[in-house]
């Protein structure tokens, strides 16, 4: 909300600069976002000296003036032929700047003659009503200077950010009251007289007392609708509003000034000359001032005449009954509506106005009449209102101020330091009535401070008026206790450390994704990842469903990097995926996603420019699970339809599938517009938590060996299809004595090995725990083992 | 054998040793003088025939010479070995090393870890909660009824099943209090979601929530803890200021600013020329929140605070576009290893 300092000064004796006032308000809880001068913001409105005036025939009504701003000469066109002459110093505005009427000035060309901006009238300069006169200066005024500098026009305006609890501060008077509370500068509370009026009975009826707590109104006759006087236009403009006509402007002016929204009806358009405050009928329609017809529901509160709704209460008036040119009689409304009802309707119909904004945030019930009277005063003065009715005031639920008790002890204990009684009473007395009661105060807030309801609210008032900055800074005294960190956080952290140590970058992707990303995975019917939680109001379709897998996000990460010159990427993500449940809440387990894209090493003197392959990914997973002390088996092949089957695993912990890994199919990558090799893995960390707890409890510590090991190699020729894993599994099943480890150290295909076969070399390590093994005993075991392997797999020695 | 003969023998041997240039020559030298049939060995053997006095003198000279030569041989050997290994191998050592790149933890998690660690020192433990929430926990229990304009402060994403995406980490306060008895000290980091997107806002971002409940935790204590946090996070000399503000779930409410780290408080674009940067919102826990969580507000009091992780990270690292965090470009992520 904008508060012109000059307007504020009408209500309070400001004893500081605009910047200082801003600082006081900000540190008091009303944040001032900016102090600015709307005149300065207009742009380049400057003095120019007329050098030459000519009247080219083609231009007829226009004069062509050559002028200078002291640095540069340019031409301006004007219709005010008789007001221009060489030597005069006039006000002008350059292209790109704004003028008071809200127009943006552009360079114009008329019949080949250029007007680089235009001359200013006092009106366009925001200095007076005159529109046909040119703004002129004494001839010795230097050109090229801001006209406001010359005229010493300074209008600092404070831009206030008002929190939702402080509806009372949404006006000039409200800002003044707040400033008073913070500074105790002299406040001038306005008061207005009702004066004489003719009788007007049985006009207003409140049918919905829950919606309207108070309705005041007054009929004004002899209205002349015309342009507002300049001071009203100027103040509206300073507050960022456009003038419309005097009646509408006055309602806006009073709302800005006192915070009370008002509405003016054209009395003669009201059927039956009645004002009925009632619930709308379901489906009832209303053409509103913004030109939109809205369908109303029975929850909405309307102002109706004898026949139809004429305004959406507290939000916006109807088009048919609004004030227009020629309106002679005005019925002026000032009311106090139920904030909840106004908000509900405003939200449902998605229409918010200055009026609804204030009603939602609670207007001052005792300020309603003040608003009405102030507007009447102005309508008499500036809109010719001659005859006025008596004030109608229907007030079915009079406002009752709460009594709040707070003890001095509570204040001090809450704030953490000693504040004396007098100070407590003094600060509270600036926002309400205070009575010392027992060991505390009984407090009744001023009617405009409806946010003050409980003792803690009073403590805040005391604290902020005293000054948050002055409150001491202490450390709490609390009992010492400690809690072990959450296990899941320990696991996430461990995974983070392992993978970043292995050269992977952690990424964070959005939890909501494009539904087409799930489609791209080509999941089979019935896959639970197809059942996604959908957003009801997504920002866009590509963020409209909650992810059920980390894979699409990771492929997108790959794509972004690939297209921005990253040839190889190792990344991982730790984040939740979301599945619907029978409950409202989701099942949201943590998953780990791993990505390897493109080249392992590229463009390095030592590199072979090789792309990642499945064994890079497998190695990482093996190391990860080994470091996590979990025996996760990588079983070929995965059933995931988006993985290349021949290059994929499902991950098993015992007989439970906990994830998958493999190369992503090209067709899937194509959906992401990516032409580079991508390997991914995804692990359900939730499924690992319990096993991890067990695994981490008992760490097996290996000691350096006491006795030496010995190894034996076997090279044999086997069928090409034979999987090394099967040989390992077989060997394991044999329970060979002293055998510590087996490794495949070489695989060879090609001549002289016959087609369809391959040569494999295995190395066996033997070690006894209690002695050094003798060659003969190892040989014996090894020969027996080799024989079994050959026999079992139909292998032959090479 | 005269002493001059002996001296000549010594000189000759030493000179020969000094001229040796290879290990094989050195071996030859060793055999020649000290081998079984070597000059000195022979001479020592022939001592027997000498008179006692001469035997003693010559013997001791030869033994000293033997020692001297052994030392010389050792030194020579070292010298020759080093000479071999110290030669220029013609390898271009200006080539870069074989890359063994470590990765990096995402900057947002780096910041979260750091904040959890700072508050961990003060005895705050970590709590978590669901990202898909109910309106009750996200708003109502936090004293934000559905008609309240304060709901406008947090534009909400709704799910079609009626749930919402939490707009702040504050529901974790309620969930934790419902589970645990006071006293309580927690921090709760996590993702939050708001219907908002531009250079400074992301529809998904991270927050960390803090809550301390005890018998006598005061507003002054809130200032103490948060000042400590700010100085640990942004540097010892960091200035802080506390402004009154409004959050439905705290009373009194406060916002904390730090002196602008960009301009040092002189005023710049980043701090909108105020010299201050808004860092977090906080306040004393509202009695209604305690009631919703089953704590007796006449017995317990405490403070809560919440802050945006992206904002902290942006200030700390001088990042001006929030989208960088979610683009995950390698070059950006690399900066945080
Ligand atoms: Zn700055």
């Amino acid at each position: 909300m904008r508060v012109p300092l000059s307007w504020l000064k009408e209500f309070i004796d400001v004893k500081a600069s605009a910047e200082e006032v801003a600082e006081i308000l900000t540190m008091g809880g009303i944040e001032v976002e900016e102090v600015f001068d709307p005149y300065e913001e207009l742009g380049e409105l400057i003095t120019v000296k007329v050098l030459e005036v000519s009247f080219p025939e083609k231009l007829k009504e226009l004069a062509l003036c050559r002028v200078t701003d002291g640095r540069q000469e340019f031409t301006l066109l004007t219709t005010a032929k008789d007001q221009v002459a060489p030597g005069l110093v006039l006000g002008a505005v350059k292209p790109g700047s704004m003028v008071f009427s809200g127009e943006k000035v552009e360079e114009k060309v008329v019949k080949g003659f250029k007007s680089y901006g235009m001359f200013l009238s006092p009106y366009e300069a925001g200095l007076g009503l005159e529109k046909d006169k040119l703004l002129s200066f004494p001839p010795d005024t230097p050109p090229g200077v801001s006209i406001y500098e010359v005229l010493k026009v300074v209008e600092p305006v404070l831009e206030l950010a008002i929190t939702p609890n402080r509806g009372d501060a949404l006006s000039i008077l409200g800002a003044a009251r707040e400033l008073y509370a913070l500074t105790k500068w002299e406040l001038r509370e306005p008061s207005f007289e009702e004066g004489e009026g003719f009788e007007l009975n049985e006009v207003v009826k409140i049918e919905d007392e829950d919606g309207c707590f108070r309705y005041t109104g007054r009929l004004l006759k002899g209205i002349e609708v015309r342009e507002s006087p300049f001071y009203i236009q100027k103040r509206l403009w300073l507050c960022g509003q456009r003038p419309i006509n005097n009646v509408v402007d006055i309602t806006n002016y009073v709302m800005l000034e006192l915070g009370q929204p008002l509405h003016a009806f054209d009395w003669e358009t009201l059927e039956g000359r009645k004002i009925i405050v009632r619930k709308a009928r379901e489906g009832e329609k209303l053409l509103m001032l913004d030109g939109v017809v809205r369908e109303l529901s029975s929850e909405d509160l309307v102002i109706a005449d004898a026949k139809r709704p004429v305004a959406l209460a507290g939000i916006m008036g109807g088009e048919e009954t609004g004030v227009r040119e020629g309106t002679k009689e005005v019925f002026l409304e000032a009311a106090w509506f139920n904030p909840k009802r106004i908000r509900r309707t405003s939200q449902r119909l998605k229409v918010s106005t200055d009026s609804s904004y204030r009603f939602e945030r609670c207007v001052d019930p005792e300020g309603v009449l003040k608003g009405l009277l102030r507007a009447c005063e102005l309508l008499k003065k500036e809109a010719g209102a001659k005859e006025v009715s008596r004030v109608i005031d229907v007030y079915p639920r009079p406002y009752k101020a709460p009594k709040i008790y707070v003890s001095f002890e509570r204040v001090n204990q809450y704030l953490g330091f000693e504040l004396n009684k007098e100070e407590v009473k003094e600060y509270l007395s600036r926002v309400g009535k205070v009575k010392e009661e027992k060991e505390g105060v009984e407090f009744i807030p001023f009617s405009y401070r409806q946010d003050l309801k409980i003792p803690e609210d009073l403590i805040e008032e005391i604290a902020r008026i005293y000054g948050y900055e002055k409150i001491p800074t202490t450390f709490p005294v609390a009992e010492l206790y400690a809690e072990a960190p959450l296990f899941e956080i320990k696991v996430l952290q461990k995974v983070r450390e392992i993978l970043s140590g292995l050269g992977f970058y952690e990424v964070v992707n959005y939890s909501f994704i494009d539904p087409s990303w799930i489609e791209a995975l080509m999941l089979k019917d019935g896959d639970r990842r197809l059942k996604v939680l959908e957003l009801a109001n997504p920002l866009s379709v590509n963020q409209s469903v909650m992810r059920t897998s980390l894979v699409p996000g990771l492929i997108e990460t790959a794509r972004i990097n690939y297209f921005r010159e990253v040839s190889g990427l190792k990344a991982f993500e730790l984040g939740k995926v979301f599945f619907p449940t029978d409950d409202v809440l989701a099942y949201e387990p943590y998953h780990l996603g791993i990505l390897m894209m493109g080249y392992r090493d590229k463009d390095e003197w030592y590199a072979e420019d090789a792309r990642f392959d499945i064994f890079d990914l497998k190695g990482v997973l093996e190391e990860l699970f080994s470091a996590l002390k979990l025996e996760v088996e990588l079983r070929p092949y995965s059933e995931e339809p988006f993985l290349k089957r021949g290059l994929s695993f499902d991950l098993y912990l015992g007989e439970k599938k906990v994830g998958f890994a493999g190369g992503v199919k090209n067709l899937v990558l194509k959906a992401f517009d990516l032409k580079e090799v991508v390997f991914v893995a995804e692990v359900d960390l939730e499924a690992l938590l319990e096993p991890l707890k067990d695994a981490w409890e008992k760490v097996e510590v290996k000691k350096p060996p006491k006795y030496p090991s010995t190894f034996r190699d076997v090279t044999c020729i086997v069928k090409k299809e034979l999987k090394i894993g099967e040989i390992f599994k077989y060997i394991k099943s044999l329970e060979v004595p002293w055998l510590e480890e087996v490794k495949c150290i070489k695989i060879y295909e090609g001549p002289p090995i016959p087609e369809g076969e391959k040569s494999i070399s295995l190395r066996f390590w033997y070690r006894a725990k209690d002695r050094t093994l003798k060659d003969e005993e190892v040989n014996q075991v090894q020969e027996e083992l080799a024989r079994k392997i050959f026999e079992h797999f139909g292998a032959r020695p090479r | 054998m005269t002493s001059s003969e002996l001296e000549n023998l010594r000189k000759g041997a030493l000179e020969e040793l000094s001229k040796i240039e290879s290990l094989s020559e050195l071996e030859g030298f060793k055999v020649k003088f000290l081998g079984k049939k070597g000059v000195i060995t022979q001479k020592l053997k022939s001592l027997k025939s000498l008179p006692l006095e001469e035997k003693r003198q010559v013997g001791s000279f030869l033994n000293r010479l033997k020692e001297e030569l052994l030392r010389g041989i050792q030194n020579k050997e070292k010298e020759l070995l080093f000479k071999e290994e110290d030669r220029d191998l013609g390898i271009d050592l200006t080539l870069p090393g074989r890359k063994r790149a470590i990765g990096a933890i995402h900057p947002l998690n780096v910041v979260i870890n750091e904040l959890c660690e700072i508050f961990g020192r003060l005895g705050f433990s970590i709590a978590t909660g669901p990202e898909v929430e109910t309106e009750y926990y996200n708003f109502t229990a936090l004293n934000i009824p559905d008609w309240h304009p304060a709901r406008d402060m947090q534009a909400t994403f709704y799910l079609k099943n009626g749930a919402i995406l939490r707009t702040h980490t504050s529901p974790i306060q309620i969930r934790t209090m419902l589970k645990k008895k006071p006293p309580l000290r927690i921090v709760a980091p996590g993702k939050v979601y708001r219907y908002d997107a531009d250079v400074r806002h992301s529809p998904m971002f991270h927050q960390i929530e803090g809550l301390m409940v005890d018998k006598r935790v005061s507003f002054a204590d809130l200032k103490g803890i948060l000042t400590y946090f700010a100085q640990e996070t942004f540097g010892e000399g960091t200035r802080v200021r506390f402004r009154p503000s409004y959050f439905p779930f705290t009373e009194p409410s406060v916002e904390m600013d730090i002196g602008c780290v960009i301009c040092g408080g002189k005023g710049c674009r980043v701090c909108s020329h105020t010299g201050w940067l808004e860092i977090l919102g906080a306040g004393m826990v509202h009695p209604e929140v305690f009631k919703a969580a089953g704590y007796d507000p006449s017995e317990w009091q405490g403070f809560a605070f919440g802050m945006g992780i992206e904002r902290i990270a942006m200030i700390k690292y001088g990042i001006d576009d929030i989208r960088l965090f979610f683009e995950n470009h390698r070059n950006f992520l690399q900066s945080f290893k």
Side-chain angles (χ1 to χ4, degrees), chain B residues 275-294:
Chain B
W276 295 95
L277 296 170
E278 221 173 285
I279 288 294
L280 60 77
M284 299 296 286
V285 179
H286 197 287
E288 289 301 320
V289 174
F290 276 148
K291 282 183 209 157

Side-chain angles (χ1 to χ4, degrees), chain B residues 260-277:
Chain B
C260 179
V261 294
I262 313 288
C263 63
K266 284 195 287 285
C268 68
R269 211 171 49 85
V270 177
C271 58
S272 316
H273 305 282
T274 60
W276 295 95
L277 296 170

